[in-house]
Amino acid sequence: MLKGLRIIAENKIGVLRDLTTIIAEEGGNITFAQTFLIKHGEHEGKALIYFEIEGGDFQKILERVKAFDYITEVEEEEPFERVFGKRVIILGGGALVSQVAIGAISEADRHNLRGERISVDTMPVVGEEEIAEAVKAVSRLHRAEVLVLAGGIMGGKITEEVKKLRKSGIRVISLSMFGSVPDVADVVISDPVMAGTLAVMHVSEKAKFDIDRVRGRRI
């Protein structure tokens, strides 16, 4: 069973080495990890370290981690999948992003009320370089499954990053727009609200829409 482990520790060399060694020795497999410096609050300047661990002796891991003198807090947490669930990412021009978000958030709310977990992340961004970098970064986002690109024109470097993103297994929905991005997206949808709605329906375990079944179509 997947479990989350949140640790607050001193920010110094060797902490991650020690922690990952313990997890491995107790038979745990790290499926996700993140660490960053805490900028505010009572633990400012310390490191927050979070692991999602599959298998192993979790209680023994907790006990051994707590024994380090540089550890401030250790706590078991629910994995992100069970808290925030699958992620739909929306990038592009502000006005169109907001319309896609209306459809996505409304549809996600409908499913989440029934016990699913689907989250929606949006970022208005303009410029070929900026959008291309944002698309490239989607493959590094934990739990991201669908990207919706909302804009009036997209091509060039953005198109190349969309091609790479699709190879990583993340589905791409494009609004109907000028440029070459619609030619390389999984599906092109003219209505931004519908684009957001269908993105959520694709990741839902209970909805009937599957992008793979309409790949290459313009709706």
Side-chain angles (χ1 to χ4, degrees):
M1 183 178 180
L2 193 66
K3 294 188 176 183
L5 179 63
R6 181 180 64 86
I7 302 164
I8 296 177
E10 293 180 20
N11 177 36
K12 65 178 188 178
I13 295 171
V15 172
L16 279 177
R17 175 202 60 208
D18 294 344
L19 297 175
T20 55
T21 297
I22 284 175
I23 294 169
E25 288 178 350
E26 297 300 334
N29 179 42
I30 299 170
T31 61
F32 176 74
Q34 69 174 12
T35 180
F36 55 87
L37 290 181
I38 300 171
K39 295 184 178 180
H40 307 286
E42 61 179 326
H43 299 303
E44 181 180 355
K46 294 186 177 180
L48 191 151
I49 304 164
Y50 173 74
F51 297 110
E52 292 189 354
I53 303 168
E54 188 176 52
D57 189 335
F58 193 80
Q59 289 305 312
K60 193 65 177 292
I61 292 171
L62 282 174
E63 292 172 9
R64 292 184 63 185
V65 169
K66 288 177 181 178
F68 288 118
D69 58 5
Y70 53 72
I71 299 294
T72 302
E73 285 186 10
V74 182
E75 189 172 357
E76 180 180 346
E77 302 282 3
E78 285 290 318
F80 282 128
E81 183 74 31
R82 293 201 289 269
V83 178
F84 294 115
K86 302 171 183 177
R87 298 172 76 179
V88 173
I89 312 297
I90 307 167
L91 300 173
L96 288 170
V97 162
S98 66
Q99 291 299 302
V100 176
I102 287 173
I105 293 170
S106 298
E107 185 69 13
D109 182 60
R110 188 170 72 87
H111 290 285
N112 291 347
L113 284 171
R114 298 175 179 175
E116 288 196 81
R117 286 291 182 270
I118 300 170
S119 56
V120 179
D121 298 273
T122 68
M123 184 174 73
V125 55
V126 294
E128 181 181 344
E129 292 283 350
E130 292 79 1
I131 296 174
E133 280 299 320
V135 172
K136 182 179 181 181
V138 171
S139 63
R140 304 197 301 271
L141 292 177
H142 188 218
R143 300 169 293 105
E145 298 204 11
V146 176
L147 168 66
V148 183
L149 288 172
I153 179 170
M154 291 187 192
K157 293 181 179 179
I158 305 171
T159 300
E160 295 308 308
E161 294 302 334
V162 168
K163 290 178 182 177
K164 295 175 185 176
L165 188 64
R166 288 183 60 200
K167 289 181 180 179
S168 72
I170 295 176
R171 302 294 182 260
V172 179
I173 294 175
S174 168
L175 294 190
S176 182
M177 64 176 86
F178 295 108
S180 54
V181 161
D183 296 331
V184 298
D186 288 286
V187 63
V188 179
I189 300 173
S190 57
D191 182 348
V193 176
M194 181 183 290
T197 300
L198 293 180
V200 170
M201 289 179 67
H202 173 76
V203 303
S204 168
E205 296 178 359
K206 299 178 180 179
K208 300 298 184 182
F209 180 73
D210 183 350
I211 288 176
D212 294 333
R213 298 184 66 178
V214 295
R215 180 176 289 141
R217 292 185 60 183
R218 293 176 178 255
I219 301 173

